[in-house]
Short mmCIF file of all heavy atoms in Angstrom, two decimals:
data_model
loop_
_atom_site.label_atom_id
_atom_site.label_comp_id
_atom_site.label_asym_id
_atom_site.label_seq_id
_atom_site.Cartn_x
_atom_site.Cartn_y
_atom_site.Cartn_z
N GLY Q 288 -7.49 7.21 -9.68
CA GLY Q 288 -8.21 8.48 -9.80
C GLY Q 288 -8.10 9.11 -11.17
O GLY Q 288 -8.27 10.31 -11.33
N ARG Q 289 -7.78 8.27 -12.17
CA ARG Q 289 -7.64 8.82 -13.52
C ARG Q 289 -8.77 8.33 -14.38
O ARG Q 289 -9.29 7.23 -14.20
CB ARG Q 289 -6.32 8.37 -14.16
CG ARG Q 289 -5.11 8.87 -13.40
CD ARG Q 289 -3.89 8.20 -13.93
NE ARG Q 289 -2.71 8.66 -13.21
CZ ARG Q 289 -1.52 8.14 -13.36
NH1 ARG Q 289 -1.34 7.14 -14.22
NH2 ARG Q 289 -0.50 8.59 -12.69
N ASN Q 290 -9.11 9.16 -15.37
CA ASN Q 290 -10.20 8.80 -16.27
C ASN Q 290 -9.67 7.98 -17.45
O ASN Q 290 -8.57 8.21 -17.92
CB ASN Q 290 -10.89 10.05 -16.81
CG ASN Q 290 -11.55 10.84 -15.70
OD1 ASN Q 290 -11.86 10.27 -14.65
ND2 ASN Q 290 -11.75 12.12 -15.94
N SER Q 291 -10.50 7.05 -17.88
CA SER Q 291 -10.12 6.22 -19.03
C SER Q 291 -11.35 5.99 -19.90
O SER Q 291 -12.48 5.95 -19.43
CB SER Q 291 -9.59 4.86 -18.58
OG SER Q 291 -8.56 5.02 -17.65
N LEU Q 292 -11.01 5.86 -21.16
CA LEU Q 292 -12.09 5.62 -22.14
C LEU Q 292 -11.66 4.40 -22.97
O LEU Q 292 -10.55 4.33 -23.48
CB LEU Q 292 -12.23 6.86 -23.04
CG LEU Q 292 -13.09 6.71 -24.28
CD1 LEU Q 292 -14.55 6.46 -23.91
CD2 LEU Q 292 -12.99 8.00 -25.11
N LEU Q 293 -12.59 3.48 -23.04
CA LEU Q 293 -12.30 2.28 -23.87
C LEU Q 293 -13.48 2.08 -24.77
O LEU Q 293 -14.63 2.00 -24.31
CB LEU Q 293 -12.11 1.05 -22.95
CG LEU Q 293 -12.03 -0.30 -23.67
CD1 LEU Q 293 -10.78 -0.40 -24.54
CD2 LEU Q 293 -12.05 -1.45 -22.67
N PHE Q 294 -13.21 2.06 -26.06
CA PHE Q 294 -14.33 1.74 -26.95
C PHE Q 294 -13.95 0.65 -27.93
O PHE Q 294 -12.78 0.46 -28.29
CB PHE Q 294 -14.90 2.99 -27.62
CG PHE Q 294 -13.93 3.85 -28.36
CD1 PHE Q 294 -13.68 3.61 -29.70
CD2 PHE Q 294 -13.29 4.91 -27.73
CE1 PHE Q 294 -12.80 4.44 -30.40
CE2 PHE Q 294 -12.43 5.72 -28.43
CZ PHE Q 294 -12.18 5.50 -29.76
N THR Q 295 -14.95 -0.06 -28.30
CA THR Q 295 -14.77 -1.13 -29.29
C THR Q 295 -15.31 -0.63 -30.61
O THR Q 295 -16.38 0.02 -30.68
CB THR Q 295 -15.56 -2.39 -28.87
OG1 THR Q 295 -16.90 -2.05 -28.58
CG2 THR Q 295 -14.93 -3.07 -27.65
N TYR Q 296 -14.54 -0.88 -31.60
CA TYR Q 296 -14.86 -0.36 -32.93
C TYR Q 296 -14.80 -1.50 -33.93
O TYR Q 296 -13.88 -2.34 -33.88
CB TYR Q 296 -13.86 0.74 -33.30
CG TYR Q 296 -14.15 1.47 -34.57
CD1 TYR Q 296 -15.02 2.58 -34.61
CD2 TYR Q 296 -13.57 1.04 -35.77
CE1 TYR Q 296 -15.27 3.25 -35.78
CE2 TYR Q 296 -13.82 1.71 -36.96
CZ TYR Q 296 -14.68 2.83 -36.96
OH TYR Q 296 -14.93 3.48 -38.14
N GLY Q 297 -15.75 -1.55 -34.80
CA GLY Q 297 -15.75 -2.59 -35.82
C GLY Q 297 -17.12 -2.76 -36.42
O GLY Q 297 -18.09 -2.10 -36.00
N VAL Q 298 -17.14 -3.58 -37.44
CA VAL Q 298 -18.44 -3.76 -38.10
C VAL Q 298 -19.33 -4.65 -37.23
O VAL Q 298 -18.87 -5.28 -36.28
CB VAL Q 298 -18.28 -4.41 -39.51
CG1 VAL Q 298 -17.53 -3.46 -40.45
CG2 VAL Q 298 -17.59 -5.74 -39.42
N THR Q 299 -20.60 -4.67 -37.58
CA THR Q 299 -21.54 -5.45 -36.80
C THR Q 299 -21.16 -6.94 -36.90
O THR Q 299 -20.83 -7.44 -37.98
CB THR Q 299 -22.98 -5.22 -37.33
OG1 THR Q 299 -23.21 -3.82 -37.28
CG2 THR Q 299 -24.02 -5.94 -36.52
N GLY Q 300 -21.19 -7.58 -35.80
CA GLY Q 300 -20.89 -9.01 -35.78
C GLY Q 300 -19.40 -9.28 -35.63
O GLY Q 300 -18.96 -10.44 -35.62
#
Side-chain angles (χ1 to χ4, degrees):
R289 297 170 181 173
N290 295 338
S291 306
L292 169 65
L293 171 66
F294 54 90
T295 52
Y296 186 87
V298 295
T299 304

